[in-house]
Amino acid sequence: MIMPFVEWMIFLCLILILVNAGKGHECTTIIKNMEYSCSGRNLTHIPSSLPFTVTSLDFSFNFLISLHKCVFPVLLNLEVLDLTRCHIKHIENDTFYNVKNLATLILTGNPITYFGPGGLNSLHNLQRLVLVDTGLSSLQLQMNNLTKLQELRVGTNNVQSMSLPSFMSNFKDFSLLDLHANNISIIKTDHTAVLREIGRNMTLILSMNPLLHIEPGAFKGIYLKEFHIQSAFVSLDAQKECLEALAGLSVDKLFIGSYRMQWKVKVSDASYLDGLCSVNFNEIYFVLKEWSDSEMHLFRCMINATKITVKRGYFKSMEYIPFHRLKELYLGPTLLSVVPLISHIPSLEKLVVKNNMPMTFNGITDLPLLQFVDLSGNFLIMKDCCSQFFQRTPNIRYMNFSRNSEIGMTDKPFSGLDLLEVLDLHRTKLVLVFYFGFLHGLKNLKYLDISYTSITFTRQMFFQNLNNLTVLKIAGNSFHGDALTYLLQNLTGLEVLDISHCGIEKISRRTFIGTQKIRHLCLSRNKLMILDFLAQPELNPLISLYVDKNSITSIPLQVLQNLPTNLSDFDLSSNPIDCSCSQTDFISWIIQNQNILKQPENIFCKTISLSSDFRATDFDTDSCVHKKRLTMVLSICFVTIVVLLSLLVYRFQFYLQYCCILLRGYRSPGQQECSYDAFVIFSSYDEVWVMNELMENLENGVPPIQLCLHMRDFQAGKSIASNIIDEGIMGSRKIIVVVSQHFIDSAWCRFEFELAQSRFMMERNANIIIIILEDVEERKSKKVFGLHKHLKKNTYLKWSRDPLSNMRFWIRLRKAILDH
Ligand SMILES: *[C@@H]1O[C@H](CO)[C@@H](O)[C@H](O)[C@H]1NC(C)=O
Ligand SMILES: *[C@@H]1O[C@H](CO)[C@@H](O)[C@H](O)[C@H]1NC(C)=O
Ligand SMILES: *[C@@H]1O[C@H](CO)[C@@H](O)[C@H](O)[C@H]1NC(C)=O
Ligand SMILES: *[C@@H]1O[C@H](CO)[C@@H](O)[C@H](O)[C@H]1NC(C)=O
Ligand SMILES: *[C@@H]1O[C@H](CO)[C@@H](O)[C@H](O)[C@H]1NC(C)=O
Ligand SMILES: *[C@@H]1O[C@H](CO)[C@@H](O)[C@H](O)[C@H]1NC(C)=O
Ligand SMILES: *[C@@H]1O[C@H](CO)[C@@H](O)[C@H](O)[C@H]1NC(C)=O
Ligand SMILES: *[C@@H]1O[C@H](CO)[C@@H](O)[C@H](O)[C@H]1NC(C)=O
Ligand SMILES: *[C@@H]1O[C@H](CO)[C@@H](O)[C@H](O)[C@H]1NC(C)=O
Ligand SMILES: *[C@@H]1O[C@H](CO)[C@@H](O)[C@H](O)[C@H]1NC(C)=O
């Protein structure tokens, strides 16, 4: 009968394995070949594609109704298996045979109704077993073979007795039993027998059980590392009785009271915690929801404690207890209005009071070992701080007064506190009477935070004799004038400096002259525009630099090339970066150095044409190269045109001048007055003929004709060109051109003729009279612009020595001149 069953099982396994083969990839690889997560994928089987080397598998939130030997493939390296909320109901005998090297098994949230007797026993190496919320009703589990078990977490079940199976006394490493939120109401002496045998170093969690009764002596002689009994009693009376019944228990850390602050509970019996006096404990942590009109004796039984932590409480006062072993006292939010007058505790090393409610502080005294004082966040107002508040406390090294209301300091406020290494006063208004010496004598100070303390640093104020100071935070204050330049000069050991949010507009190169070790510099939220101080050799050790939220538009290439060599954390974000083509070097630098830039995606361009959320890293520097080329081509063209134009203007300056005059005259032709009848254009070689013949005949004839002759009529002191134009061409009605060989050779004559032509061309009046004094070759006449054409088109006069034709010549000329 047995054989067929075994065969049938093997057959079933094969079928299952075959069905599941080929599937896979349902899981996420967290570490290749080691860690996989198949959480929440509605799987009904373990994927066979998992490598056999897997060490950790998260299979939570899937569907595995029943666990048996074939569910798991052979995974001998598997150490962590999480089967949280997989709807598991049955766990068969040999379920974990294929994964027998598990160290951690989590079965949280499965409604397990059947546990095969050998179900867990193949897990010889199991160290953590988590059976939270599995419907468990007893700790009598079949797990004899789990000799390496260290943790058993069975919270949120229906366990009614904390008695462990007797074989567990052999579990040498067993150290944690978590029974929170079960249904344990009674603990008897025999329930703790195994605990007692296991001996020392156990953590026992019984919080949130309805404890009603503990048999006195049940915990006698038991030593626990941690004992959690928060919200573990059905009533205050039960608590009082049960605490008393704990007599003889030794605990290192005791957790009592409520889990969190709940509604207040009034107690009539002020000594309701007196049961603690019969428990030996070192450290105690509590949240107390109880309150009373009268004095509550909360601390009476804590006289031997080394550490007291009040997470929260409703007590209004703290009685004086001569603690003699107390090393640390932590007072969280309570109804205390005054910091307790803690004094004469020879062992106290650390004091923390954080009330979040206004308190007053009258000082603490005679605490020779006190090193650490944190009174932050208590709305304290202290006048004439600090020495007088700390009498005979010579060992204080850490003092935290941050987030208080106001602290006033006068001369030498820290005398007698020479060993101070950390001083934190941030976000507390400081009223300093003697500025200079306010840190006088703190030669051991390493850390100073006076951010947001409403200080205005002046030029007379600087830090001196603080050779050990490595961290300085002065953010959120202000500087008068150039006070920053001198402030840091003697802080030779400074490594971390925060001067953000101080309204700094400029940092002088001299600021960092004395500080050659700064590694972290924060200048965020100032008004800096220029970062040229960065290229200084004094700042070479910089690793991180924050200049976000300033007014930086660009950083010159020369500064970028000389940035500190090890700078690996550079925050430039939220600055109005200028993304114009003149800044391509800077933008390219940003694009190439995104690895050292913090939040490169928040470096935006602030250019009018681009939208406000344009990222500098998206800027296309190539487009600038094209623009640059285009600009270059255009400017070359422009320069060429300008040069050409000026050459032309120079070459044709007379014409231009003439054109101007013409245009002027053209505009008002009526007002044009001609003072001469004719202007004579001639070569000076022909002067004799002009004077003797032309002038003689025309000016002395009847009617006399007024000629304009350059050597006689041109105004002295005026330029020749102006004279030609004003007097000659414009001032005469007609132009007489005396053409000869010399005329053609003379540049001036040609120019005058050209001007004359242009005048009459515009006035459309053929008023140029040409006299051919001597024959000129056609080839030569073409040299003078328009002459050849003019001769062809118009009648001209020809001079001859023959008296008869001579006579005709003068008559015709006179007619031509007088003709209108
Ligand atoms: C799992 O099944 C539930 C319903 O049965 C469905 O709502 C959910 O989306 C499924 N999840 C996945 C990852 O398929
Ligand atoms: C499980 O194993 C126990 C012995 O360890 C045996 O008595 C029991 O019959 C087994 N149950 C099944 C279903 O095989
Ligand atoms: C438990 O351990 C014993 C002895 O080492 C061994 O014989 C037995 O098979 C183990 N039980 C299981 C279910 O592996
Ligand atoms: C807790 O145990 C008591 C008996 O001690 C029982 O009456 C009660 O029903 C249990 N509560 C739960 C929630 O199981
Ligand atoms: C208690 O446990 C800690 C580790 O949790 C270990 O270092 C220490 O040696 C143990 N002490 C005793 C007495 O077992
Ligand atoms: C404190 O310890 C001393 C022994 O050192 C002991 O006599 C005394 O009872 C203890 N007090 C409390 C409240 O635990
Ligand atoms: C001082 O206390 C404040 C508030 O509790 C805290 O944020 C700060 O880190 C403390 N300062 C130091 C130097 O530990
Ligand atoms: C402070 O600096 C001095 C040297 O300037 C050194 O001798 C001393 O040890 C330092 N103190 C501390 C606490 O580092
Ligand atoms: C600062 O240091 C310089 C050089 O070490 C020294 O001459 C000067 O007196 C110091 N200034 C102060 C105020 O300590
Ligand atoms: C930069 O870092 C290297 C290696 O960490 C170190 O050797 C070197 O001194 C550092 N340079 C500066 C200027 O701090």
Side-chain angles (χ1 to χ4, degrees):
M1 219 23 226
I2 294 218
M3 275 305 284
F5 176 74
V6 170
E7 277 170 19
W8 185 80
M9 278 301 283
I10 291 171
F11 174 74
L12 194 73
C13 284
L14 278 174
I15 295 281
L16 275 170
I17 286 167
L18 282 176
V19 165
N20 295 341
K23 297 189 183 172
H25 305 297
E26 291 98 339
C27 300
T28 312
T29 311
I30 293 166
I31 299 174
K32 193 164 162 53
N33 291 335
M34 306 271 279
E35 266 189 67
Y36 289 81
S37 169
C38 321
S39 180
R41 296 179 195 226
N42 292 353
L43 297 178
T44 54
H45 62 274
I46 308 282
S48 53
S49 60
L50 289 171
F52 69 94
T53 52
V54 62
T55 58
S56 169
L57 175 62
D58 178 358
F59 198 76
S60 55
F61 300 94
N62 286 301
F63 294 93
L64 293 173
I65 310 301
S66 174
L67 295 189
H68 46 78
K69 195 176 176 180
C70 301
V71 166
F72 299 104
V74 179
L75 298 170
L76 292 181
N77 289 329
L78 194 64
E79 287 175 3
V80 179
L81 177 59
D82 186 349
L83 295 173
T84 298
R85 299 200 193 277
C86 280
H87 303 87
I88 299 163
K89 288 193 178 120
H90 289 258
I91 298 183
E92 304 285 348
N93 259 355
D94 283 327
T95 293
F96 299 106
Y97 185 78
N98 290 340
V99 290
K100 60 176 166 222
N101 289 323
L102 279 183
T104 299
L105 175 60
I106 302 171
L107 286 165
T108 299
N110 287 294
I112 303 169
T113 51
Y114 173 75
F115 240 117
L120 292 168
N121 265 336
S122 37
L123 298 171
H124 294 260
N125 291 323
L126 200 67
Q127 294 171 3
R128 281 183 77 214
L129 177 58
V130 182
L131 290 168
V132 173
D133 191 13
T134 51
L136 207 66
S137 59
S138 161
L139 291 180
Q140 302 301 321
L141 293 161
Q142 301 277 335
M143 49 179 195
N144 322 36
N145 284 3
L146 275 56
T147 49
K148 294 189 178 155
L149 196 68
Q150 294 174 7
E151 284 184 23
L152 178 59
R153 295 189 180 267
V154 287
T156 319
N157 283 301
N158 288 322
V159 177
Q160 295 192 19
S161 163
M162 63 166 286
S163 70
L164 291 165
S166 56
F167 57 80
M168 282 185 74
S169 55
N170 298 324
F171 290 10
K172 293 275 175 296
D173 302 317
F174 192 62
S175 60
L176 185 139
L177 175 60
D178 182 352
L179 277 164
H180 80 266
N182 275 285
N183 194 9
I184 301 167
S185 56
I186 294 171
I187 300 176
K188 295 194 169 152
T189 311
D190 55 335
H191 293 172
T192 55
V194 177
L195 267 190
R196 192 173 283 114
E197 277 175 53
I198 289 172
R200 334 209 110 222
N201 234 356
M202 272 267 309
T203 294
L204 177 60
I205 302 174
L206 286 175
S207 303
M208 296 173 81
N209 275 287
L211 278 177
L212 186 64
H213 174 71
I214 297 178
E215 191 178 340
F219 285 89
K220 196 173 169 66
I222 292 182
Y223 178 96
L224 295 175
K225 192 168 124 196
E226 291 183 18
F227 188 32
H228 298 247
I229 41 171
Q230 291 137 306
S231 306
F233 305 96
V234 278
S235 65
L236 271 176
D237 288 338
Q239 173 172 338
K240 190 167 153 54
E241 194 212 309
C242 289
L243 286 182
E244 275 160 12
L246 290 177
L249 172 68
S250 295
V251 191
D252 192 26
K253 297 180 183 173
L254 181 60
F255 297 77
I256 62 165
S258 322
Y259 251 114
R260 59 185 75 85
M261 211 53 175
Q262 291 151 331
W263 52 91
K264 286 194 211 174
V265 175
K266 187 165 178 175
V267 285
S268 44
D269 181 2
S271 52
Y272 75 107
L273 282 178
D274 276 6
L276 286 177
C277 284
S278 54
V279 180
N280 298 317
F281 56 88
N282 286 324
E283 302 181 7
I284 183 160
Y285 299 79
F286 57 88
V287 172
L288 289 184
K289 59 181 180 181
E290 291 81 19
W291 71 284
S292 170
D293 291 332
S294 52
E295 173 87 55
M296 292 164 79
H297 304 299
L298 297 178
F299 299 92
R300 184 190 285 171
C301 296
M302 300 178 191
I303 185 166
N304 289 338
T306 57
K307 178 174 177 180
I308 300 175
T309 302
V310 181
K311 294 274 190 200
R312 269 175 174 275
Y314 286 124
F315 53 94
K316 291 191 208 126
S317 60
M318 194 172 158
E319 69 204 306
Y320 173 76
I321 303 285
F323 298 107
H324 61 109
R325 294 176 61 208
L326 192 63
K327 287 186 173 171
E328 297 182 25
L329 176 60
Y330 177 100
L331 294 175
T334 58
L335 298 181
L336 291 171
S337 57
V338 181
V339 177
L341 185 82
I342 291 159
S343 62
H344 296 97
I345 305 179
S347 51
L348 195 66
E349 292 172 5
K350 187 169 177 179
L351 171 65
V352 179
V353 181
K354 289 193 186 192
N355 204 14
N356 299 333
M357 293 275 276
M359 292 186 106
T360 49
F361 177 50
N362 298 321
I364 51 180
T365 60
D366 296 286
L367 303 164
L369 295 184
L370 189 64
Q371 294 197 9
F372 186 106
V373 182
D374 183 351
L375 296 178
S376 59
N378 293 318
F379 302 89
L380 296 180
I381 297 177
M382 295 163 74
K383 295 208 163 40
D384 203 6
C385 194
C386 298
S387 299
Q388 60 156 323
F389 290 88
F390 297 92
Q391 304 273 320
R392 292 173 296 282
T393 54
N395 264 309
I396 295 182
R397 281 151 218 263
Y398 175 104
M399 201 181 261
N400 194 339
F401 276 119
S402 63
R403 296 177 183 275
N404 279 302
S405 297
E406 187 180 308
I407 293 182
M409 292 185 185
T410 51
D411 198 21
K412 298 180 183 164
F414 296 98
S415 63
L417 297 166
D418 307 350
L419 296 180
L420 209 56
E421 289 173 14
V422 176
L423 178 59
D424 190 345
L425 296 166
H426 80 264
R427 292 197 189 269
T428 299
K429 187 177 180 206
L430 285 189
V431 182
L432 304 179
V433 178
F434 297 99
Y435 266 109
F436 328 105
F438 107 92
L439 296 169
H440 183 85
L442 295 183
K443 50 184 179 298
N444 290 308
L445 201 64
K446 290 178 180 163
Y447 179 107
L448 175 64
D449 188 347
I450 46 173
S451 312
Y452 299 95
T453 48
S454 314
I455 295 182
T456 300
F457 293 96
T458 60
R459 214 175 137 166
Q460 286 74 38
M461 235 183 131
F462 40 78
F463 299 106
Q464 47 177 315
N465 300 326
L466 296 177
N467 298 333
N468 290 345
L469 196 69
T470 51
V471 181
L472 176 63
K473 301 185 179 184
I474 50 177
N477 292 304
S478 54
F479 293 95
H480 192 271
D482 58 352
L484 177 60
T485 311
Y486 306 93
L487 190 68
L488 309 171
Q489 283 187 357
N490 282 13
L491 294 180
T492 45
L494 204 61
E495 290 177 15
V496 180
L497 176 62
D498 182 355
I499 22 180
S500 52
H501 209 194
C502 285
I504 303 167
E505 289 172 1
K506 191 172 183 311
I507 292 189
S508 152
R509 284 173 167 262
R510 290 175 53 200
T511 307
F512 299 107
I513 276 182
T515 56
Q516 309 201 345
K517 290 185 185 162
I518 297 185
R519 291 189 292 131
H520 304 277
L521 176 59
C522 182
L523 290 164
S524 314
R525 290 194 280 164
N526 280 301
K527 296 174 184 164
L528 290 173
M529 297 173 76
I530 298 168
L531 296 182
D532 53 357
F533 62 92
L534 278 183
Q536 276 178 276
E538 287 84 31
L539 286 178
N540 209 22
L542 264 195
I543 295 170
S544 78
L545 172 67
Y546 287 72
V547 289
D548 50 307
K549 304 190 185 73
N550 275 285
S551 306
I552 299 158
T553 52
S554 76
I555 305 177
L557 191 60
Q558 172 259 335
V559 173
L560 292 174
Q561 283 166 346
N562 290 303
L563 283 180
T565 36
N566 286 352
L567 188 66
S568 57
D569 214 356
F570 188 11
D571 195 342
L572 246 186
S573 62
S574 305
N575 275 296
I577 301 295
D578 173 11
C579 297
S580 61
C581 285
S582 58
Q583 301 299 340
T584 43
D585 286 337
F586 177 45
I587 309 284
S588 309
W589 185 89
I590 290 179
I591 293 170
Q592 284 159 18
N593 289 278
Q594 290 184 50
N595 57 325
I596 69 161
L597 286 172
K598 260 193 120 65
Q599 335 180 32
E601 69 282 358
N602 283 341
I603 304 178
F604 292 114
C605 291
K606 283 280 144 54
T607 317
I608 312 148
S609 60
L610 296 166
S611 61
S612 60
D613 54 355
F614 187 86
R615 288 183 187 149
T617 48
D618 294 339
F619 188 77
D620 181 12
T621 45
D622 287 348
S623 69
C624 284
V625 177
H626 300 313
K627 270 190 204 158
K628 227 184 215 166
R629 273 192 207 139
L630 192 70
T631 320
M632 222 146 84
V633 168
L634 283 180
S635 36
I636 287 174
C637 289
F638 179 74
V639 167
T640 317
I641 289 172
V642 165
V643 166
L644 278 177
L645 273 179
S646 16
L647 281 176
L648 283 174
V649 165
Y650 180 73
R651 170 70 182 78
F652 295 106
Q653 51 179 319
F654 303 130
Y655 296 89
L656 288 172
Q657 211 171 345
Y658 177 58
C659 280
C660 290
I661 291 159
L662 277 186
L663 286 173
R664 210 164 61 214
Y666 210 60
R667 252 179 257 125
S668 51
Q671 286 161 3
Q672 187 79 38
E673 247 181 52
C674 291
S675 33
Y676 302 99
D677 291 314
F679 170 54
V680 188
I681 301 175
F682 63 96
S683 158
S684 48
Y685 289 101
D686 302 324
E687 190 179 324
V688 179
W689 181 82
V690 169
M691 296 305 280
N692 294 348
E693 298 285 344
L694 193 71
M695 199 181 84
E696 246 341 281
N697 275 296
L698 296 181
E699 293 202 336
N700 298 336
V702 182
I705 289 170
Q706 188 62 43
L707 291 179
C708 175
L709 300 173
H710 62 76
M711 65 287 189
R712 187 190 65 191
D713 297 319
F714 279 11
Q715 283 177 29
K718 228 172 145 181
S719 80
I720 298 175
S722 309
N723 264 322
I724 291 172
I725 292 162
D726 293 348
E727 301 295 321
I729 294 172
M730 298 307 294
S732 312
R733 280 192 294 107
K734 305 263 168 152
I735 310 282
I736 297 170
V737 181
V738 182
V739 176
S740 70
Q741 205 63 47
H742 297 301
F743 171 88
I744 289 186
D745 292 340
S746 158
W748 275 115
C749 290
R750 288 203 306 269
F751 170 60
E752 286 172 339
F753 179 60
E754 278 166 28
L755 283 185
Q757 281 182 96
S758 56
R759 173 186 166 185
F760 292 115
M761 197 166 64
M762 287 181 93
E763 289 188 7
R764 295 175 182 187
N765 202 343
N767 283 336
I768 299 176
I769 302 158
I770 301 214
I771 297 170
I772 305 282
L773 197 62
E774 57 188 47
D775 276 331
V776 180
E777 289 172 46
E778 190 175 314
R779 182 178 54 84
K780 278 201 163 174
S781 75
K782 280 183 179 161
K783 245 172 80 179
V784 184
F785 174 77
L787 179 60
H788 185 67
K789 219 164 96 191
H790 199 93
L791 290 177
K792 272 189 157 174
K793 273 196 185 159
N794 305 299
T795 353
Y796 52 86
L797 296 170
K798 199 166 166 122
W799 170 253
S800 107
R801 301 201 177 272
D802 166 38
L804 191 67
S805 43
N806 208 330
M807 182 95 124
R808 242 185 354 258
F809 172 85
W810 290 120
I811 291 167
R812 280 177 69 195
L813 179 57
R814 188 170 273 279
K815 194 164 179 279
I817 293 169
L818 296 175
D819 191 28
H820 284 284

